[in-house]
Amino acid sequence: MKTVVLGGYGNFGARICRALAPSPGIELIIAGRDLDKASALARACGHGAVAARIDIHDPQLTQALRALGAELVIHTAGPFQQQDYGTALATAAAGAHYIDLADGRRFVCDFPAALDDAFRRQQRIAITGASSVPAMSSAVVDHLSAGWRSIASIEMCIAPAQTAPRGVATMSAVLSYCGAPIQVWQDGRWTTQLGWAAPVTVAYARLRPRLASLCDIPDLELFPAHYAGVRTVMFRAALETGISQRGMAALAGLRRLGLVRHPERFAGLLNRAADGLNFLGSALGGMVVRVHGVDGAGMPARRAWHIAADNDHGPEIPCMAAVLLARRLAAGTLGAVGAYTSVGQLTLAEFEPEFAKWGMVTDLGE
């Protein structure tokens, strides 16, 4: 399967390319606006990987994908909060399958309704949000609640390592909702809270407790619809250094007061500033997912899943779902045609060999 990775030499794209290059049934094409960078990575990946110059904003994108013989397009060129569905529609028109790493709430949540017809007409599959959320997060929730009668609450928190590589696109995505009002399903009703404001302390199995704040991700909207009866869904992020977390909270306050209208404009500056704090942090990051509900015997139950990623391997986690789904497409084992979110597309067991490859440690707790 000829697989084109858009943004293939970026922070996440390069990791996906390195993982897919030796995968059976996949012919890798590393694509982006800089042909030299794409070519260098293709040489490093080996296994017949080739490079191509492609700009996702090119009005001739469909023709470019057809010329490459694309059978699968993996879109990693974020931030998705500021994108429309042009790349996905061009992919459908080219007759290829589509996967992306989108974490933009509207982009992911509105994706099936906007694109299902286009991909069904082509008899192709499109999956959005093939990343830590909601692909892996939903796999974890399904695992923790297996056999339960109901789920009452889902709480998730990601805790990146301070020294792990960060991309400007990721920083821009994060800043886009810093201080912005976010709809959160809490105690059975929608409430409005501010992104990155009001930090709280979150505990982990193998990391020290950290301050964490609300993030706007698709799970906040998808999970109340997918898990019938759930009354609370929360997702937070916890930066390793307290000064960074409090700085984000302060920026959220400035936006609420109208003193800073578009924090994402400072993505490059703040990304460089974050590097200057690396001496205060470590290479250890992780994530925790906690669920509360009623088990199969009708008794109250609580379960938690933790993952710890050392040696700055944390950024591999957001890439795993796209890799797993691409391999399943190449093997012909991925579901029906049409456009879908990644909720429920993978099981936690499918992720576990990827965790092991990077020496990541998981813990289950009652």
Side-chain angles (χ1 to χ4, degrees):
M1 176 175 284
K2 287 191 174 181
T3 300
V4 178
V5 182
L6 301 174
Y9 47 79
N11 189 35
F12 296 135
R15 299 170 194 278
I16 291 172
C17 288
R18 286 191 287 266
L20 288 180
S23 297
I26 289 180
E27 299 177 51
L28 181 63
I29 302 172
I30 302 170
R33 289 179 292 183
D34 190 323
L35 185 59
D36 289 340
K37 290 182 179 179
S39 298
L41 182 59
R43 289 192 295 271
C45 286
H47 299 280
V50 298
R53 179 186 285 114
I54 288 186
D55 185 344
I56 63 171
H57 302 295
D58 184 349
Q60 303 301 313
L61 179 58
T62 294
Q63 290 85 338
L65 293 173
R66 284 177 180 161
L68 290 172
E71 297 172 274
L72 167 62
V73 173
I74 303 177
H75 183 11
T76 74
F80 290 88
Q81 284 81 353
Q82 301 157 14
Q83 290 190 34
D84 58 20
Y85 297 126
T87 302
L89 288 169
T91 299
H97 300 292
Y98 172 93
I99 295 171
D100 68 42
L101 273 64
D103 60 354
R105 183 166 173 173
R106 291 272 50 84
F107 187 101
V108 174
C109 293
D110 297 341
F111 185 94
L115 294 165
D116 193 63
D117 286 346
F119 280 91
R120 284 184 185 277
R121 284 196 299 269
Q122 296 288 346
Q123 292 294 292
R124 295 294 181 265
I125 299 170
I127 298 176
T128 186
S131 192
S132 304
V133 295
M136 190 183 78
S137 54
S138 63
V140 174
V141 172
D142 290 342
H143 181 81
L144 293 177
S145 62
W148 285 16
R149 295 184 182 181
S150 63
I151 302 174
S153 68
I154 302 168
E155 295 192 12
M156 302 161 281
C157 188
I158 189 168
Q162 172 62 32
T163 60
R166 291 173 292 272
V168 175
T170 300
M171 180 66 78
S172 180
V174 165
L175 291 171
S176 68
Y177 54 80
C178 181
I182 297 173
Q183 291 295 295
V184 179
W185 186 247
Q186 190 169 40
D187 296 327
R189 63 185 181 89
W190 290 106
T191 63
T192 301
Q193 302 179 32
L194 296 181
W196 287 98
V200 299
T201 300
V202 174
Y204 306 87
R206 296 174 184 265
L207 284 70
R208 282 185 275 183
R210 297 187 185 183
L211 290 176
S213 299
L214 170 66
C215 290
D216 193 19
I217 63 161
D219 303 38
L220 296 177
E221 186 170 332
L222 294 174
F223 282 13
H226 184 75
Y227 297 105
V230 68
R231 294 183 56 79
T232 295
V233 177
M234 174 58 70
F235 186 95
R236 297 183 176 95
L239 304 179
E240 186 170 4
T241 64
I243 188 173
S244 296
Q245 197 76 37
R246 292 186 178 91
M248 291 292 286
L251 186 57
L254 292 174
R255 181 173 184 173
R256 180 179 62 82
L257 294 171
L259 299 176
V260 175
R261 296 188 180 276
H262 299 286
E264 61 271 22
R265 292 184 299 180
F266 305 111
L269 174 63
L270 292 180
N271 201 47
R272 292 190 295 272
D275 289 341
L277 298 175
N278 283 353
F279 73 98
L280 295 174
S282 72
L284 178 64
M287 182 176 180
V288 60
V289 179
R290 293 184 169 93
V291 294
H292 168 220
V294 178
D295 67 16
M299 299 298 292
R302 294 179 184 272
R303 298 194 75 194
W305 176 88
H306 303 254
I307 185 168
D310 208 348
N311 301 309
D312 286 333
H313 291 325
E316 299 293 341
I317 296 175
C319 305
M320 291 177 180
V323 170
L324 293 170
L325 290 168
R327 289 172 179 162
R328 285 185 57 184
L329 269 171
T333 61
L334 199 58
V337 299
Y340 307 91
T341 73
S342 60
V343 173
Q345 296 286 344
L346 294 165
T347 66
L348 186 58
E350 291 177 273
F351 283 94
E352 287 170 352
E354 300 300 310
F355 299 153
K357 180 165 60 177
W358 295 101
M360 298 175 186
V361 181
T362 60
D363 294 274
L364 284 173
E366 297 295 331

